[in-house]
Amino acid sequence: MDLQLSGKTAVVTGGSKGIGLEVVRTLLSEGMRVVTGSRTITDGLRATAAVPVAVDLSTPDGPATLIDRALAELGGIDVLVNNVGIGDAADVAQGALLNLVDLPDSAWQHTFDLHFYTALRATRAALPSLIERRGTVINVSSAGARLVTAGPVDYNVAKAALNALTKVIAEQFGPQGVRAITVAPGPVSTGVWTDPDGFIAHVAAQQGLPHDAFAKQLMATLGASTGRLSTPAEVARLIAFAASPNNITGAEYLIDGGVVKSA
């Protein structure tokens, strides 16, 4: 199916690996021109035709730096995919291992800087171009935003705030032609789950359990109806559909294999 994205432009935050890298590849395959920002430029990203920008997006000036570079490269932005997240596995693991009393303010601040403020700042910087081009903002959230106690609590709360931000963008800028959509993955077969030094492995080690056994136990506890992880390619295809011309805005699309049972 032709998604009518050929010739359009996109900015993807956190496009060096995982879901972000697959989004970059998918949008390029649809004929888009893509600029992506991340702290490191991986070999996988270098192998694409995207324009990589090395930038720390968790800093106050990082998102605007990326958007300025993208505007210089692309001339304008049709789609902004706010995808960056997770970061250091040990940082995220704190939110799963510590309770509300013990999790320090610094952890909450770091998590919100990366998972909420990055999206807010990138969106604000891109809005003039998005308004001009009647563009689309796609916020990559998490099924955890609906299951805030089942995982890293600071991460899940930050993602819940990101979901609310999508609604605000859609409502405030819809009359000017800007759409905003949330895509919320559940467990995905990225390094977060599979790497020996990823988040799941880190939590498993803290609990004295083998990585594979803990991952299987956690999947069973989450109760995915499909019984499997989603793939980055599946998430990327949903994001590409959301970016395509349509009349969807303010909506949340779960891609979690049925982890979230409520409507």
Side-chain angles (χ1 to χ4, degrees), residues 65-131:
T65 297
L66 172 62
I67 297 302
D68 286 346
R69 176 69 184 278
L71 290 170
E73 291 283 345
L74 303 173
I77 300 168
D78 294 299
V79 176
L80 170 64
V81 181
N82 287 313
N83 164 79
V84 70
I86 297 297
D88 184 80
D91 289 337
V92 183
Q94 286 188 89
L97 298 168
L98 301 178
N99 65 24
L100 197 65
V101 173
D102 297 327
L103 190 63
D105 283 1
S106 58
W108 287 92
Q109 184 65 58
H110 173 75
T111 298
F112 267 77
D113 281 343
L114 184 60
H115 298 97
F116 177 78
Y117 281 108
T118 289
L120 173 63
R121 291 162 177 157
T123 300
R124 283 195 303 216
L127 267 170
S129 186
L130 291 166
I131 290 170

Side-chain angles (χ1 to χ4, degrees), residues 18-175:
I19 292 172
L21 178 57
E22 199 61 42
V23 171
V24 168
R25 291 169 174 158
T26 299
L27 297 183
L28 288 168
S29 74
E30 292 292 333
M32 298 190 77
R33 297 161 57 214
V34 178
V35 169
T36 184
S38 54
R39 285 186 300 176
T40 58
I41 300 172
T42 60
D43 290 342
L45 179 56
R46 288 191 186 93
T48 74
V51 177
V53 179
V55 59
D56 185 349
L57 293 166
S58 68
T59 64
D61 297 332
T65 297
L66 172 62
I67 297 302
D68 286 346
R69 176 69 184 278
L71 290 170
E73 291 283 345
L74 303 173
I77 300 168
D78 294 299
V79 176
L80 170 64
V81 181
N82 287 313
N83 164 79
V84 70
I86 297 297
D88 184 80
D91 289 337
V92 183
Q94 286 188 89
L97 298 168
L98 301 178
N99 65 24
L100 197 65
V101 173
D102 297 327
L103 190 63
D105 283 1
S106 58
W108 287 92
Q109 184 65 58
H110 173 75
T111 298
F112 267 77
D113 281 343
L114 184 60
H115 298 97
F116 177 78
Y117 281 108
T118 289
L120 173 63
R121 291 162 177 157
T123 300
R124 283 195 303 216
L127 267 170
S129 186
L130 291 166
I131 290 170
E132 179 184 4
R133 292 182 173 228
R134 303 180 70 84
T136 303
V137 177
I138 300 170
N139 289 326
V140 181
S141 182
S142 170
R146 295 201 189 191
L147 305 165
V148 289
T149 60
V153 292
D154 50 342
Y155 173 85
N156 288 346
V157 171
K159 290 298 191 178
L162 183 62
N163 289 8
L165 179 64
T166 298
K167 299 284 190 183
V168 171
I169 298 166
E171 184 67 19
Q172 291 190 356
F173 298 98

Side-chain angles (χ1 to χ4, degrees), residues 143 146-147 220-227 254 256-263:
R146 295 201 189 191
L147 305 165
T221 301
L222 290 171
S225 302
T226 63
L254 282 165
D256 67 344
V259 169
V260 176
K261 309 299 184 183
S262 59

